[in-house]
Amino acid sequence: NINEEVIKYIANNIKSNIRELEGAFNKVMASAKLEQKDVTLELAEQALDYIVEQRRWCHQNPELSLEEVQTTEHIAAELQKMGYTEIQRFPDHTGLCAMLRGGKAEKACRTVALRADIDALPVEEKTGLPFASRNKGVMHACGHDCHISMLLGAAKMLMETKDELQGNVKLIFQAAEETCHGAEYYVEAGILDGVDAIMGQHVWATLEEPYINVQAGPRMASVDNFVIKVDGVSAHGTQPHLGVDALLA
């Protein structure tokens, strides 16, 4: 009986110690996550002016699909200033990709891609803003100027935390999104080979700041081309009720 009581006493003490250790561990982890959150927020706040500056430059210098030559050069120059050395350009296409390899990334680590579109629309800007479009008949009217600057801001933050990253990040600045086929070139060029996940983002005027929306399933309707064929039935002009007018259909 004595032995049984001793065993019970020891077991209860062990359970109590385990609970205390678990509690201490959870506190340490929570503190680490909070610290990481604080660091990320601080980096974002530091990058804010840069992001605004880049957005306004892009808004002033919009280029149509497959004509984003100056935009591509500008993005490449900004990435080089940040310290990016793996920048992939294309001899027959606009847009570019850049790779950031994490300082703690192992050989079999994962790679995440972040994507932004860079082309503008054939729209005449009449906003009167001090950073309005300088290119007559061309405007960033779909928010791609924001997308470029947001990804440049992310690139800046990622570079500053490079040594702590346990994986790789590929940055994709995609041309010709407005053509409906802009992504095909990059896929066929193998840009997504070795990428485990890819994320894009789009500004949305009806979503109040500073909120973001993330949800599973379909996000937005795709853009596609299609043909509608209407067959009419001929009839005499005095008997239109016997025919089918394909023009009205």
Side-chain angles (χ1 to χ4, degrees):
N1 291 336
I2 295 176
N3 289 338
E4 290 180 1
E5 291 298 324
V6 170
I7 292 172
K8 287 181 181 179
Y9 175 78
I10 294 173
N12 288 333
N13 276 331
I14 291 174
K15 289 180 181 178
S16 177
N17 289 334
I18 290 175
R19 282 196 293 270
E20 289 181 6
L21 287 172
E22 286 179 343
F25 176 78
N26 289 335
K27 287 182 180 179
V28 170
M29 292 303 294
S31 176
K33 289 180 179 178
L34 182 60
E35 183 178 346
Q36 180 61 43
K37 180 180 177 182
D38 290 342
V39 170
T40 304
L41 180 59
E42 182 179 345
L43 288 173
E45 290 173 342
Q46 291 173 359
L48 179 58
D49 289 343
Y50 173 78
I51 294 171
V52 172
E53 171 191 300
Q54 292 304 309
R55 186 256 166 167
R56 293 187 176 184
W57 186 93
C58 292
H59 193 83
Q60 283 184 310
N61 299 277
E63 295 174 297
L64 296 175
S65 301
L66 301 176
E67 299 178 9
E68 312 96 324
V69 176
Q70 185 183 15
T71 303
T72 301
E73 293 290 346
H74 177 79
I75 294 169
E78 289 300 314
L79 291 173
Q80 289 170 347
K81 289 177 189 176
M82 296 176 198
Y84 284 84
T85 56
E86 292 187 56
I87 300 176
Q88 183 176 357
R89 303 282 295 273
F90 309 98
D92 58 343
H93 205 78
T94 45
L96 61 82
C97 298
M99 176 69 89
L100 179 66
R101 302 188 185 277
K104 294 183 179 179
E106 298 179 356
K107 190 173 182 180
C109 71
R110 295 189 175 187
T111 298
V112 172
L114 303 179
R115 169 264 187 196
D117 35 23
I118 67 173
D119 53 334
L121 289 168
V123 175
E124 183 73 27
E125 179 166 5
K126 298 181 180 181
T127 63
L129 292 170
F131 52 90
S133 172
R134 294 171 177 168
N135 298 335
K136 186 174 179 58
V138 185
M139 177 185 178
H140 269 300
C142 194
H144 296 189
D145 51 340
C146 297
H147 303 165
I148 298 168
S149 59
M150 289 154 67
L151 188 51
L152 284 174
K156 191 177 184 67
M157 294 171 63
L158 286 165
M159 180 58 76
E160 293 179 10
T161 57
K162 173 184 175 182
D163 293 341
E164 300 300 318
L165 296 181
Q166 299 180 12
N168 302 323
V169 182
K170 180 174 282 190
L171 310 174
I172 303 174
F173 292 87
Q174 178 201 316
E177 186 270 345
E178 298 291 355
T179 66
C180 313
H181 304 286
E184 290 178 352
Y185 178 90
Y186 303 94
V187 175
E188 292 171 358
I191 297 305
L192 296 184
D193 294 351
V195 172
D196 296 284
I198 181 169
M199 287 168 277
Q201 55 189 351
H202 203 296
V203 291
W204 204 248
T206 58
L207 186 65
E208 293 185 11
E209 61 176 340
Y211 300 108
I212 63 172
N213 174 251
V214 180
Q215 66 189 63
R219 197 68 194 93
M220 292 182 178
S222 67
V223 179
D224 207 345
N225 299 319
F226 60 90
V227 176
I228 298 176
K229 182 180 178 181
V230 180
D231 292 322
V233 177
S234 61
H236 193 276
T238 61
Q239 297 174 311
H241 60 287
L242 298 179
V244 175
D245 190 342
L247 294 178
L248 293 178

